[in-house]
Amino acid sequence: MEIYLDTANIEEIRKAVKMGVISGVTTNPSLMMRAGQGDYRRVTQEICYLVQGPISAEVVSTRAAEMVREAKKIAQWSPYVVIKVPVTADGLEAISILAQSEADPDKICQGCKWVDECPLDRDIACDLTLMQGISTNATLVFSTNQAVLAARAGASYVSPFVGRLDDIGHEGMDVVAEAAEIFINYGLDTQIIAASIRHPLHVTQAALLGADIATVPYGVLEKMIRHPLTDLGIERFLADWKKVGG
Ligand code: E4P
């Protein structure tokens, strides 16, 4: 299972990239607001440059035609951008249109401040854009049926919101487990992102149940790293090393 970071905070992303553990990032308008980030394009392009992997950026329109228009604009920001679309009737329509659309390779990465330093060479960026079309992440998924519909509409990813379901007394992880089983049974290649992750146990459960990705807040990533026995072990090794004059 891959680990994505669920944040728009550039410092958190930098730290996680250095550890070599994350392969993507998910953002949403609330995370942008929390990180104090107003310039959506600039921030998304910086995240793409730092991570060099799939970065979800959400549309804020609610009607299918406007979502598609907005998505096509966002898709030009970087070949790494994945368009996050909420699962509504309009959202599904937008996902199915986007699944058959492609971004213009000539306009890819336009206005990106990091284009000169970016390890992604211009020709590869164009090839990637042509190859993958417009990727979508069906978001705000709270039921297995929503996940199935999003996959059928052609979503590249579906994001069941585990923590928010737990909050209202449901077993959020059931949606991950059921979607994983159904996608295998019917050969659906949509990837499952376990989202709204609240603690490290969620991450372990998501991996055991067959999620392709867990997107975790930075605080959860820190908790996944820490173990009191690791700290104690280091302390003891260092004390013993001192005793032998090391
Ligand atoms: C996923 O893509 C969402 O950004 C995120 O997981 C929402 O989680 P929350 O319930 O912590 O807001």
Side-chain angles (χ1 to χ4, degrees):
M1 185 181 74
E2 290 180 58
I3 306 289
Y4 287 4
L5 209 59
D6 196 24
T7 187
N9 182 307
I10 296 291
E11 278 326 299
E12 291 180 349
I13 293 167
R14 269 188 217 285
K15 287 192 266 182
V17 166
K18 271 198 207 152
M19 289 181 227
V21 292
I22 61 155
S23 41
V25 166
T26 49
T27 69
N28 64 38
S30 306
L31 291 171
M32 285 282 171
M33 185 268 292
R34 235 175 278 158
Q37 310 283 16
D39 187 341
Y40 207 7
R41 179 180 63 79
R42 192 193 58 75
V43 177
T44 306
Q45 287 181 326
E46 183 167 7
I47 301 174
C48 289
Y49 160 66
L50 289 171
V51 178
Q52 300 288 312
I55 310 301
S56 289
E58 190 155 345
V59 293
V60 289
S61 310
T62 53
R63 311 310 304 222
E66 286 149 34
M67 284 176 176
V68 170
R69 229 187 334 269
E70 201 188 333
K72 285 187 174 172
K73 233 167 102 187
I74 297 173
Q76 301 294 354
W77 293 351
S78 161
Y80 290 129
V81 160
V82 175
I83 311 296
K84 238 176 166 187
V85 181
V87 178
T88 57
D90 279 274
L92 290 170
E93 188 182 330
I95 288 170
S96 75
I97 294 170
L98 292 168
Q100 294 156 53
S101 310
E102 51 191 39
D104 180 351
D106 292 331
K107 292 195 185 138
I108 203 73
C109 300
Q110 263 185 7
C112 181
K113 214 176 121 188
W114 290 271
V115 83
D116 293 333
E117 298 133 69
C118 187
L120 189 66
D121 146 281
R122 170 95 214 139
D123 290 342
I124 301 175
C126 292
D127 288 351
L128 263 179
T129 307
L130 281 173
M131 222 167 64
Q132 69 199 6
I134 298 181
S135 307
T136 51
N137 173 358
T139 190
L140 291 167
V141 168
F142 292 99
S143 75
T144 306
N145 283 339
Q146 287 180 318
V148 171
L149 291 172
R152 281 293 173 210
S156 325
Y157 304 87
V158 293
S159 291
F161 274 37
V162 174
R164 290 196 200 181
L165 277 167
D166 289 358
D167 289 345
I168 57 159
H170 289 253
E171 187 55 77
M173 221 32 101
D174 283 354
V175 180
V176 172
E178 289 174 3
E181 193 176 332
I182 292 167
F183 288 7
I184 286 174
N185 286 350
Y186 295 98
L188 297 168
D189 57 11
T190 301
Q191 296 198 59
I192 300 170
I193 305 181
S196 186
I197 293 287
R198 297 281 156 78
H199 48 72
L201 190 56
H202 271 158
V203 182
T204 313
Q205 288 168 334
L208 287 169
L209 293 171
D212 299 281
I213 299 141
T215 187
V216 304
Y218 189 75
V220 173
L221 181 67
E222 281 185 317
K223 287 185 187 144
M224 289 165 69
I225 300 167
R226 300 284 307 231
H227 197 287
L229 290 180
T230 305
D231 296 340
L232 188 65
I234 292 171
E235 218 175 89
R236 281 196 194 148
F237 284 150
L238 292 180
D240 289 344
W241 189 240
K242 249 192 202 154
K243 282 182 210 155
V244 293

